[in-house]
Amino acid sequence: MKPRKSKEPLSGRDVALILLLCVSGMRAETARYSVPEEAERGSFVANIAKDLGLTGEELLTRKARLLPEGEKQYFQLNPHTGDLVVREQMDREELCGQSEPCL
């Protein structure tokens, strides 16, 4: 596999995969979450620790964190509990333009 030479930012899927691989250690697991565009700040998305079969303590020990794809950080992770919440409301047109589907 060749290293990336492009200066393009990582896609959301790449960031999610990297996060899950880092959090889950040697286990390769994938999780997908759907968030309505209208979701308000503080809206609960998922408990990542529970979905990965970890405790909040394990997330904290492994230094789990979210890395933003662009300038805005749309989600916030509580490393003590594993709760993932909306940090900033999303705008579909701003994120995806006219592309379909918008993932």
Side-chain angles (χ1 to χ4, degrees):
M1 186 167 157
K2 292 182 180 180
R4 288 171 45 103
K5 292 182 181 179
S6 171
K7 298 249 184 205
E8 291 180 29
L10 293 173
S11 72
R13 183 182 295 171
D14 292 339
V15 172
L17 179 60
I18 290 168
L19 170 69
L20 290 175
L21 289 175
C22 290
V23 169
S24 63
M26 298 305 285
R27 296 178 295 174
E29 297 184 34
T30 302
R32 289 182 178 237
Y33 305 103
S34 296
V35 180
E37 172 182 359
E38 303 82 23
E40 305 229 353
R41 294 178 96 173
S43 297
F44 179 79
V45 176
N47 185 293
I48 290 177
K50 181 179 173 186
D51 292 347
L52 293 172
L54 302 171
T55 65
E57 278 290 317
E58 289 172 309
L59 274 184
L60 193 57
T61 301
R62 296 174 187 223
K63 299 180 182 175
R65 65 188 187 278
L66 300 177
L67 302 174
E69 180 178 327
E71 294 179 21
K72 293 184 181 178
Q73 177 101 23
Y74 290 102
F75 301 98
Q76 182 174 352
L77 175 64
N78 180 330
H80 297 280
T81 64
D83 287 344
L84 182 67
V85 296
V86 173
R87 181 176 178 183
E88 183 154 340
Q89 195 169 21
M90 292 163 267
D91 179 0
R92 185 201 179 289
E93 286 77 24
E94 183 181 321
L95 290 169
C96 300
Q98 298 302 315
S99 65
E100 288 291 333
C102 179
L103 300 174

